[in-house]
Amino acid sequence: MNVKITLILLFSVLFGTQLFAQSYSYSFEGNLTPDQLTELESKCRAIPHLSACKIKYKPEANKGEIIVRTDTSEERREKSELFSPLDVKSLLMQNGLIPLDFTLLND
């Protein structure tokens, strides 16, 4: 019985923080040069409460998506601060891109 409880506690500690993180995708269209793409990704990483940001872009279609993952830190959760998709939308518009769909991804 003690082994079962120990295993449950171990899994809770190891995977518990992942329950608070979520990934999102924001699709967009517009023209980006490689330099603009690099700059956009850097600006995206600077958005508060994100732990990761990756951009997939197809230059032949002038379409892409930004995939972001929210921060899972204890400090963030204690402050009850939330990620806002408006930050990503604003970043896209500042770079002359047209925001399309915002989607919660299943991790």
Side-chain angles (χ1 to χ4, degrees):
M1 189 75 159
N2 285 338
V3 173
K4 186 176 182 179
I5 292 171
T6 304
L7 285 174
I8 291 172
L9 287 174
L10 179 63
F11 283 116
S12 297
V13 170
L14 291 175
F15 299 106
T17 59
Q18 294 301 317
L19 297 176
F20 296 99
Q22 294 189 349
S23 296
Y24 302 92
S25 170
Y26 214 136
S27 61
F28 63 89
E29 62 181 34
N31 190 10
L32 285 174
T33 66
D35 291 337
Q36 290 171 319
L37 187 61
T38 302
E39 183 180 339
L40 181 62
E41 194 162 339
S42 294
K43 288 180 181 178
C44 180
R45 287 190 175 132
I47 293 174
H49 316 302
L50 293 183
S51 61
C53 175
K54 182 177 181 178
I55 299 176
K56 295 179 181 180
Y57 181 66
K58 295 184 179 181
E60 63 277 358
N62 286 338
K63 291 188 177 187
E65 69 178 333
I66 295 179
I67 299 172
V68 296
R69 183 161 181 84
T70 58
D71 190 2
T72 60
S73 70
E74 291 290 328
E75 180 180 313
R76 182 194 158 271
R77 280 185 274 144
E78 287 176 10
K79 291 182 181 177
S80 298
E81 296 173 353
L82 301 174
F83 160 73
S84 173
L86 295 176
D87 293 334
V88 178
K89 182 177 184 177
S90 175
L91 183 62
L92 291 170
M93 292 172 66
Q94 288 171 8
N95 286 276
L97 301 169
I98 300 168
L100 299 174
D101 297 319
F102 180 76
T103 309
L104 173 65
L105 301 175
N106 296 325
D107 290 332

